[in-house]
Amino acid sequence: MFEIRPAEEKDCELVLNFIKKLADYEKLLDQVTATVDDVRRELFGESVTAHAVIAYEDDTPVGFALYFHNFSTFLTRKGLYLEDIFIDPAYRGKGYGRALMRYLAALAVKEKCGRFEWVVLEWNTPAIGFYEKVGATVLPDWRLCRLTGEALERFAKGS
């Protein structure tokens, strides 16, 4: 039996474990600084910034997706932005990734979002192929820009 459920506060450690597994897969584990308390604050605190859903096979958690709402000025509508999705390797090929994506797409439609968006690493050709199969357009002209750490601090101070 397969099901998808919204994460609950008791799932914070599980969500963090999935974040670490994803980071390990992407060879970025050294960049994970998140703690269980961070997950709890952002997903269930006073000012919720993101949401997570967990995929289960029987009672075994096999994957997760983390999302938040963004906004399109051109559409003047909120969008659903998929920050991360991960299925444990032992459970891949069963349609669980597709089911998570469909769950979020249905949520975007229900919430009248103008878009459902995410980014994918250039080297992740299996994911790119999967996303194209479900009908997504991989935008070739857009590049993600990021300010973090000291660069963010310097720019914010006007340096």
Side-chain angles (χ1 to χ4, degrees):
M1 185 178 134
F2 177 78
E3 71 174 321
I4 298 168
R5 297 191 304 246
E8 299 176 10
E9 192 167 351
K10 67 181 175 65
D11 298 320
C12 290
E13 189 170 340
L14 175 61
V15 170
L16 181 59
N17 286 336
F18 277 126
I19 290 169
K20 289 179 179 178
K21 287 179 180 185
L22 170 66
D24 187 49
Y25 172 75
E26 293 180 344
K27 299 169 183 52
L28 299 170
L29 188 56
D30 61 316
Q31 295 184 28
V32 176
T33 61
T35 66
V36 171
D37 288 337
D38 294 332
V39 172
R40 184 174 292 108
R41 179 186 65 246
E42 300 302 327
L43 270 60
F44 302 101
E46 277 185 39
S47 182
V48 171
T49 58
H51 309 277
V53 293
I54 301 171
Y56 292 87
E57 183 180 88
D58 298 320
D59 288 327
T60 303
V62 299
F64 90 120
L66 195 139
Y67 68 95
F68 58 90
H69 289 100
N70 59 7
F71 189 80
S72 167
T73 51
F74 290 179
L75 299 177
T76 318
R77 296 178 91 175
K78 72 178 178 178
L80 193 146
Y81 187 86
L82 172 61
E83 179 64 22
D84 283 310
I85 184 170
F86 180 80
I87 300 293
D88 265 322
Y91 295 92
R92 291 184 186 157
K94 295 184 171 192
Y96 297 164
R98 177 183 293 270
L100 271 172
M101 295 289 290
R102 184 169 283 135
Y103 178 98
L104 294 175
L107 183 61
V109 169
K110 178 182 174 189
E111 294 184 359
K112 298 186 181 358
C113 294
R115 294 180 177 155
F116 175 26
E117 297 179 305
W118 60 93
V119 296
V120 61
L121 292 167
E122 279 185 346
W123 61 260
N124 196 346
T125 53
I128 292 169
F130 167 73
Y131 297 145
E132 289 175 335
K133 259 187 178 172
V134 301
T137 302
V138 179
L139 303 172
D141 300 330
W142 291 83
R143 297 291 183 261
L144 179 65
C145 300
R146 179 178 290 160
L147 276 172
T148 61
E150 290 179 27
L152 174 60
E153 297 279 335
R154 267 193 318 275
F155 187 67
K157 291 177 183 172
S159 305

